Amino acid sequence: MKADLRLYDYWPWRDRPRIVWPDGARLAFWVAPNIEFYELDPPTNPHRKPWPQPYPAVPGYSIRDYGNRVGHARQMALLDRYGIRGSVSLSAALCEHHPDIIAACVERDWEFFSHGIYNTRYTYGMSEAQEREMILDSMDTIERHTGRRPAGYLAPALSHSEHTLDLFAEAGGLYTCDLFHDDQPTPVRVRGGQRFISVPYSLEMNDTIAYVVNRIEPRRYGRILRDNFDRLYREGEASGTVMCIPTHNYQVACPHRLDALDRALDYITGHPGVWVATGREIAEYFLEHYFDAAVADIRLKEDTVRGA
Amino acid sequence: MALDRKFLTYERRAYGMDHERYAWSQLSGRAPVAWPGGAGLALWVNVCVQFYPLDQRGVPFAVPGGMTMPYPDLRHFSLRDYGNRVGIYRVLDALARYGIKASFAVNGAMVERAPFLMAALRDRGDEFVAHGWHMDALHHGGLSSDAERDLVARTLDTLRTASGQAVAGWLSPARNESPLTPELLAEHGVRWFADWVNDDMPYRFATSNGDLWAMPLSNELEDRFILMQNLHSETSWVEQVSDACDFLLGEAEQAGGRILALNIHPWLLGQPHRIGRLEQALEYVTGRPGIWSAAPGDILDAFVAGLPAQDAD
């Protein structure tokens, strides 16, 4: 184990080169619905149990199935209302299990990025070759079913190895959602030297973190989303920021919770200067316009502080 | 370092579910359901009547709400018992005040422990739902099929005798099941069960002894989940129930009848500082237009009556 994988350099929030998003926007906003498949009876990874209860884990399995059976269509209708195209964090096997969900998202020109094969199959314990095989399988599957090869990655159940991002960059990926170190895209160092970045995905705005880990009341979640937006929007005038709402159809689309997201989306999309985008669009725009400036600025500040 | 090959092998990676219990189906694609009187929302209030034994074994896990202290954990034992002695009568008054037709999910062991209460429930005439033998008699894969069959049979026999009803509904303690639980329920004349929380409407659930109906009894909106597990305020519970009610009424306008299912525990909401919040929630919901307060069996009957004939048995 290492104290730090050195995936990115220190880059102070102050005095960065100014980012301006398309049409002069100051904030890039994206919504990332996780569409996941959890298996009822997966093999038990030696490093992490898939379910707290012995087989069959009815409560855990069935609420996640609720997300696909009931929640997805609700959330999709809500995003339609605000003209938001989702950037789907996809368990690739869902292409096979629930092709009707995939077809509805394709029809809306949503983005799909890889979230592994199943959310009950963890990276822990995999050899490098196995992890590469899993990543390529997920990318091939998504491309086959959606017509486009994914550009982004969020490791299944956020289970990583030391080489996860190296492998994804080598497979042709452009961006990762696995890092929570910044409110702007940043370069990520991978062993192959590819131009590869992190796009802010936000653990704090993630509905499952809010509802399950932090146990937040639905209306408070809605307020937190608006507060998060307000500050990023204000700071985005100096240099464009990114706000992401990562969702899970089994959390956010419950009848007592969807209104909180509804109000937040109404508030956010009601502001001028908000670029409603997808993860890939943000990544590509940053790579084309700001990646080199970011690398140069990071180096300049590093050199300055070291007196070089 | 590498994982065994089985971790990259996916035997059930194909269309539909990864098991044979029910068909894949999105709620949004189903035909609209009509409730009696043109109601948009069926209101199902399920009251749990539970016995948490002091000598909890905790197999295969300690039931949520159960004993947490070294034996004898009198604080939790007696606080749960409070629900059956005091809290439930406040809940019954609240249900009467707002004209709620409820159901009562009763542990079989409660019949002998509180015959007075059983008589009160029987006199009310609401539907009895079998809720397992007691809260430490969990259904799980470690039980032999005979031992689990005995649990199911004893629970149903006891409750059928005590209630004078056919008792056709089931809710497992902690909603936990063995791989065989649905088969055993069907074998003993159960028509519907409410352990699986994957839908907002009834659906068919396959067992080797014939189909059950799965009824939607939200866990996420349950008083125990919101107040005890999430530590949300009582005010927030009322808001969440109200928001769910409004959302489902709105959805019903577009997509047909929906169900608002409230699973509640007298040992929680029957406390003096909480009972007013239950009343507040019931007042809000029953004050909305298009609410049909009904027992789960009646909701299921209305649902099945609207199905094409070949799907209705």
Side-chain angles (χ1 to χ4, degrees), chain A:
Chain A
M1 290 192 286
K2 299 170 180 170
D4 183 346
L5 295 185
R6 301 279 171 200
L7 292 166
Y8 47 81
D9 292 313
Y10 185 81
W11 192 24
W13 187 239
R14 285 181 186 161
D15 304 323
R16 291 185 181 181
R18 185 179 184 202
I19 292 174
V20 180
W21 298 119
D23 296 325
R26 51 159 92 173
L27 183 140
F29 176 63
W30 64 304
V31 177
N34 284 266
I35 308 186
E36 299 170 329
F37 200 103
Y38 285 74
E39 300 159 283
L40 184 59
D41 193 17
T44 298
N45 184 292
H47 304 275
R48 178 172 166 184
K49 278 170 61 174
W51 298 113
Q53 302 96 355
Y55 171 84
V58 170
Y61 178 89
S62 60
I63 187 62
R64 286 165 179 81
D65 185 34
Y66 177 93
N68 295 329
R69 284 172 80 85
V70 179
H72 169 70
R74 274 183 193 153
Q75 185 183 184
M76 191 168 64
L78 180 65
L79 296 184
D80 282 352
R81 231 174 345 110
Y82 292 105
I84 298 168
R85 286 152 54 231
S87 306
V88 177
S89 167
L90 185 66
S91 293
L94 198 124
C95 295
E96 283 116 355
H97 287 288
H98 303 329
D100 45 340
I101 288 182
I102 303 298
C105 299
V106 167
E107 189 184 313
R108 287 163 171 77
D109 192 25
W110 284 18
E111 179 192 339
F112 299 86
F113 63 86
S114 169
H115 192 27
I117 307 297
Y118 286 109
N119 226 34
T120 36
R121 303 281 178 134
Y122 310 121
T123 307
Y124 307 125
M126 282 185 184
S127 68
E128 201 174 307
Q130 287 177 327
E131 189 175 5
R132 181 182 299 111
E133 177 189 326
M134 181 270 288
I135 288 171
L136 287 173
D137 177 357
S138 74
M139 295 174 83
D140 292 345
T141 302
I142 291 172
E143 184 175 12
R144 202 162 55 243
H145 286 85
T146 70
R148 195 161 192 200
R149 197 157 183 81
Y153 194 64
L154 178 70
L158 277 67
S159 65
H160 305 103
S161 75
E162 290 183 353
H163 295 297
T164 298
L165 304 184
D166 296 331
L167 292 169
F168 184 64
E170 283 159 20
L174 294 181
Y175 75 97
T176 175
C177 302
D178 291 285
L179 304 174
F180 304 96
H181 61 302
D182 219 288
D183 286 328
Q184 287 180 331
T186 76
V188 170
R189 185 180 296 111
V190 287
R191 66 186 176 193
Q194 291 89 352
R195 288 163 68 91
F196 187 77
I197 62 169
S198 163
V199 172
Y201 168 80
S202 185
L203 214 51
E204 296 272 347
M205 296 304 105
N206 186 313
D207 62 344
T208 299
I209 301 303
Y211 286 132
V212 181
V213 180
N214 297 338
R215 301 179 177 184
I216 287 172
E217 300 89 339
R219 292 186 186 186
R220 184 174 158 219
Y221 177 60
R223 279 199 302 279
I224 288 172
L225 292 175
R226 295 196 292 275
D227 288 348
N228 189 268
F229 170 80
D230 281 342
R231 182 52 64 118
L232 289 169
Y233 185 72
R234 198 166 91 196
E235 294 184 3
E237 196 173 12
S239 179
T241 50
V242 177
M243 178 178 179
C244 180
I245 305 181
T247 63
H248 295 74
N249 46 28
Y250 67 94
Q251 292 291 341
V252 81
C254 285
H256 55 304
R257 297 196 186 120
L258 198 57
D259 188 59
L261 180 66
D262 190 340
R263 286 168 191 264
L265 296 180
D266 185 54
Y267 182 77
I268 292 166
T269 59
H271 282 71
V274 173
W275 179 36
V276 179
T278 66
R280 180 200 289 266
E281 287 164 354
I282 296 167
E284 287 176 343
Y285 195 85
F286 181 85
L287 281 163
E288 184 179 344
H289 298 277
Y290 297 108
F291 181 86
D292 295 324
V295 170
D297 188 60
I298 292 166
R299 191 170 302 135
L300 176 71
K301 285 183 170 128
E302 175 87 354
D303 290 349
T304 306
V305 79
R306 295 197 193 286

Side-chain angles (χ1 to χ4, degrees), chain B residues 176-216:
Chain B
N176 210 67
E177 294 183 359
S178 82
L180 202 60
T181 305
E183 272 68 26
L184 293 173
L185 298 181
E187 181 182 297
H188 289 85
V190 169
R191 180 187 182 211
W192 63 266
F193 72 145
D195 294 339
W196 291 61
V197 289
N198 56 337
D199 216 309
D200 275 344
M201 295 297 282
Y203 68 90
R204 297 179 77 102
F205 192 100
T207 89
S208 59
N209 295 324
D211 286 357
L212 296 170
W213 288 99
M215 287 289 284

Side-chain angles (χ1 to χ4, degrees), chain B residues 9-83:
Chain B
T9 306
Y10 314 103
E11 288 174 2
R12 312 273 329 208
R13 187 172 166 182
Y15 181 81
M17 304 312 300
D18 60 336
H19 54 76
E20 310 298 332
R21 289 302 194 179
Y22 50 81
W24 162 241
S25 153
Q26 285 193 73
L27 175 60
S28 58
R30 296 181 213 156
V33 170
W35 296 134
L41 201 54
L43 171 65
W44 172 20
V45 178
N46 184 66
V47 184
C48 292
V49 179
Q50 302 173 324
F51 173 50
Y52 289 85
L54 189 61
D55 59 346
Q56 175 177 288
R57 295 174 314 128
V59 179
F61 55 83
V63 64
M67 308 300 110
T68 63
M69 305 299 291
Y71 178 86
D73 182 359
L74 286 174
R75 71 174 85 166
H76 290 111
F77 178 85
S78 57
L79 190 57
R80 300 299 169 258
D81 218 19
Y82 177 96

